[in-house]
Amino acid sequence: MEQVPVQVVSETKSHGGTQGVYSHPSAATGTEMTFSVFVPDRPEGTKLPVLWYLSGLTCTHANVTEKGEFRAACAEAGVILVAPDASPRGDDVPDDADKAYDFGLGAGFYVDATQEPWARNYRMRSYVESELPELVATIFPADMTRQGITGHSMGGHGALTIALRNPGRFRSVSAFAPIVSPLNCPWGDKALGGYLGPDRAAWREYDACALIADGARLPNLLVDQGEADGFLAEQLKTQLLVEACAEAGIAATIRMQPGYDHSYYFISSFLAEHVAWHAGHLHRG
């Protein structure tokens, strides 16, 4: 990978590590992209495993960075956490004509768009699967042979589908309130129809349940879903993932959490537990 200039937006000491925010010009999206990285303190020359966190609709890197409450757990476990943005941004980046929250800016859905005018910038699949990992491996003390991935809502969809499409890359996969089947919900109809066009066969590689049905597998899976989540019945449809994993024999722990909603109050309640769960897989062997 050609050396890319990376700007330090901020670096702050926290919980026995360094919380940084960085930006760089992205070849994948054709825009400036911002991401955050927490690196625990470590002996000189030591490389640490990496946990990717993918954010949901309307979010940037800042949501989990400021509200996720993960740093103490990452420092204790010796795990780097990387949080990309959820979409390309900029004055020249096309947005939904009605400024809707579920399409356009803030709603990249971790796809590589094929339809105009989205195809030029909305290439979050390439950014998260290829470009940013290469950059992280170059700049940070990251052991890329030990990676885990997690995410929330749209980002949970991204985490599941990226892991399913890249067998062997991730030792551990988890999600918070993921969109498990965009083929079967209004958010998916709008986003995949808009970015990929009307051929629903082309959507299958962006649908976790469809990927599992088509033969893709995960080494292990942890999912937390709030029972009081207002999006559960219409958009998230967790039961479809339960059924897909059971039919495929995937070792999945899918927990329904009574009283919890879709917010970062929910995510921050369990993110440290997810970090520890990932660490158990990432430090093994």
Side-chain angles (χ1 to χ4, degrees), residues 44-58:
E44 186 68 29
T46 302
K47 290 193 172 185
L48 300 177
V50 179
L51 176 59
W52 297 87
Y53 179 95
L54 305 186
S55 295
L57 289 166
T58 76

Side-chain angles (χ1 to χ4, degrees), residues 5 7 22-26 29-34 85 87-90:
Q7 178 182 351
Y22 309 91
S23 67
H24 71 106
S26 167
T29 68
T31 67
E32 192 78 6
M33 295 294 292
T34 301
D85 202 346
S87 86
R89 298 182 194 273

Side-chain angles (χ1 to χ4, degrees), residues 125-200:
R125 172 181 178 173
S126 290
Y127 180 70
V128 173
E129 283 190 358
S130 302
E131 184 177 20
L132 188 57
E134 291 179 17
L135 189 63
V136 166
T138 300
I139 295 174
F140 298 96
D143 181 353
M144 304 303 280
T145 68
R146 295 183 290 162
Q147 296 185 69
I149 190 167
T150 188
H152 170 232
S153 193
M154 178 184 73
H157 141 77
L160 293 173
T161 56
I162 288 170
L164 286 162
R165 288 194 306 264
N166 291 275
R169 177 181 294 191
F170 301 99
R171 294 191 182 187
S172 51
V173 183
S174 77
F176 297 87
I179 304 169
V180 305
S181 185
L183 278 160
N184 292 290
C185 72
W187 279 341
D189 284 342
K190 183 174 183 178
L192 299 189
Y195 293 136
L196 304 177
D199 180 6
R200 293 174 66 88

